[in-house]
Amino acid sequence: MRALMIAAFGLGLGTPALADWQQTLDAARGQTVYWNAWGGDARTNAFIAWVGAQTEAQYGVKVVQVKLTDTATAVTQVISEKAAGKDSGGSVDMIWINGPNFLSMKEQGLLHGPFAADLPNARYLDLSPNSAAAMDFTVPVDGYEFAWRLARFVFTYDSAVTLAPPSDMAGFLAYAQAHPGRVTHPNVSNFMGASFLKQALIEFAPDQAVLQSPVTDVAFDMATQPLWAWYDAMRPFMWREGKTFPENQSVQQQLLNDGEVDFGVSFDPASAAGAIAEGLLPDTARVFVPLGGSIGNISFVAIPYNAANREGAEVVANFLLDPATQAHQQNIEVLGSFSVLDPARLSADEAAVFAALPSSPALPKLEDLGPTLLEPHPSWMTRLVAAWGDRYTK
């Protein structure tokens, strides 16, 4: 498969889209890019290591993953450096970022750019206004970050044990009441736990349109009343009576594998297939989404304004958008994340490589995932997490 991909794509050896791209390549050679990225998934970590091996071999650019448990850690580092007057030579070269963290950095002028649309491989993206690759949680990207993988919120379950999973978020209440102790979610301080709440918020909100605008006190109170009523009713029937929660999705997946709970959560539709391949879930594990669809977004990477290795970061960014890299990433044996590239912009040979990728009974097709629900404005997640903490942890 790898040889086929190299033959089909040339793996980034095509003609640069920009006249000065060679200058960027020359400046990047010898640099080490410190990519601050969530480190909670072994397959993602392995993919990032592979990216580093490829960029070092081809462009002389090393990649070191700074494994984060919370993206805000990297954001805080950049803020601290700015406060100290360190406007160059910063310690953070790239950040895997989304939503509130991107909005915060953009508003504070902490991002390098706009640069994304100028990358040679940006020609494979749909960057038209309001397209998925041009918007991040309702916030225009404006070239200050670039897309690298698709994400959809999914639930994982063992189809041999749970024959009829809930068809919507409301159904989790009935399921929990019928199966006490079998439903949980990651701690809401973790992005995956917050996403569980956001998925329910979208379903229950009387007017979903208000979620696309910055939160207000009135809108928040009205939109969350049904959510809290549902959660209050379900909490006594949750795992450990809703008083303790798995630290993250990996811990919850282990609980699922151990038979202690009936559902896991992920933002990766390939998570079950990948976990089966690694022996972390039984062969009968599958993913499902509510009938009305689930939250979807694109994972982005940004470069801080003071990055010490900006050119190297741009080279890595361009490599991530190479069709060969995207196909390798989408390979279920590697990562299984759906490509962010616009299929209409691929050549016939490039499209054929994607079509030939291996599959798995546990890997859904994109059309099986139903409608993609828009992420709320970033301010909603910040407010939701704080409100949940006030209600249930004090």
Side-chain angles (χ1 to χ4, degrees):
M1 175 61 70
R2 183 66 189 156
L4 177 61
M5 290 164 59
I6 293 174
F9 295 143
L11 198 58
L13 300 180
T15 302
L18 299 180
D20 61 353
W21 183 246
Q22 187 60 48
Q23 296 177 15
T24 300
L25 292 174
D26 292 343
R29 186 165 295 277
Q31 292 185 351
T32 297
V33 173
Y34 290 89
W35 183 356
N36 287 242
W38 176 65
D41 178 64
R43 283 161 62 90
T44 299
N45 296 342
F47 173 75
I48 292 175
W50 174 86
V51 167
Q54 295 297 316
T55 57
E56 183 174 10
Q58 295 180 49
Y59 307 111
V61 177
K62 296 181 180 180
V63 175
V64 173
Q65 182 186 0
V66 179
K67 297 177 182 178
L68 305 176
T69 57
D70 188 343
T71 304
T73 301
V75 177
T76 300
Q77 178 65 26
V78 178
I79 293 173
S80 298
E81 290 177 353
K82 183 176 179 65
K86 193 173 185 178
D87 293 329
S88 62
S91 61
V92 180
D93 294 315
M94 290 172 49
I95 308 177
W96 177 4
I97 199 168
N98 276 98
N101 288 308
F102 171 67
L103 177 62
S104 175
M105 294 194 75
K106 187 183 181 188
E107 289 182 336
Q108 296 181 68
L110 299 177
L111 297 174
H112 162 63
F115 76 94
D118 292 333
L119 297 173
N121 286 330
R123 67 186 185 274
Y124 292 107
L125 294 172
D126 176 6
L127 293 175
S128 59
N130 298 318
S131 66
M135 301 292 291
D136 186 352
F137 286 50
T138 76
V139 178
V141 169
D142 292 333
Y144 286 95
E145 61 179 356
F146 65 92
W148 72 292
R149 60 190 282 189
L150 285 180
R152 281 293 300 273
F153 187 68
V154 298
F155 292 94
T156 311
Y157 73 111
D158 185 346
S159 61
V161 174
T162 305
L163 304 181
S167 60
D168 53 23
M169 296 304 291
F172 274 93
L173 171 57
Y175 189 95
Q177 291 172 330
H179 306 86
R182 308 294 297 177
V183 172
T184 190
H185 58 75
N187 194 298
V188 174
S189 63
N190 179 274
F191 178 76
M192 292 306 305
S195 296
F196 178 88
L197 286 187
K198 285 191 294 181
Q199 177 71 31
L201 173 66
I202 293 171
E203 179 174 315
F204 295 131
D207 179 10
Q208 294 183 4
V210 303
L211 305 179
Q212 296 301 300
S213 300
V215 68
T216 65
D217 291 344
V218 173
F220 185 81
D221 290 343
M222 291 183 62
T224 58
Q225 282 182 7
L227 169 69
W228 301 135
W230 167 78
Y231 196 88
D232 287 343
M234 183 171 64
R235 189 183 182 208
F237 300 96
M238 294 173 66
W239 179 70
R240 297 188 177 177
E241 298 180 339
K243 298 177 181 178
T244 304
F245 301 90
E247 179 182 356
N248 53 44
Q249 68 184 69
S250 298
V251 174
Q252 186 165 334
Q253 179 178 275
Q254 185 62 53
L255 293 175
L256 172 62
N257 190 53
D258 292 343
E260 193 167 341
V261 300
D262 288 341
F263 305 104
V265 293
S266 176
F267 245 110
D268 180 4
S271 56
I276 290 171
E278 294 181 77
L280 300 176
L281 284 176
D283 292 345
T284 47
R286 297 292 185 269
V287 299
F288 74 95
V289 297
L291 290 179
S294 69
I295 295 173
N297 61 49
I298 281 181
S299 290
F300 290 93
V301 171
I303 301 173
Y305 83 105
N306 65 341
N309 302 289
R310 175 184 57 78
E311 297 87 356
E314 289 191 4
V315 169
V316 175
N318 193 60
F319 179 81
L320 287 169
L321 293 175
D322 191 295
T325 305
Q326 289 284 307
H328 184 73
Q329 172 184 275
Q330 189 168 311
N331 188 336
I332 186 59
E333 297 171 356
V334 177
L335 191 55
S337 293
F338 291 113
S339 170
V340 296
L341 305 184
D342 180 357
R345 297 169 186 255
L346 299 175
S347 70
D349 287 343
E350 291 165 347
V353 174
F354 279 94
L357 291 174
S359 188
S360 162
L363 179 66
K365 296 180 180 179
L366 197 56
E367 55 266 29
D368 296 334
L369 298 176
T372 300
L373 304 181
L374 296 176
E375 284 275 10
H377 186 273
S379 57
W380 281 88
M381 187 172 90
T382 303
R383 183 72 173 271
L384 193 64
V385 169
W388 182 88
D390 288 341
R391 292 176 68 96
Y392 303 110
T393 64
K394 295 181 177 180

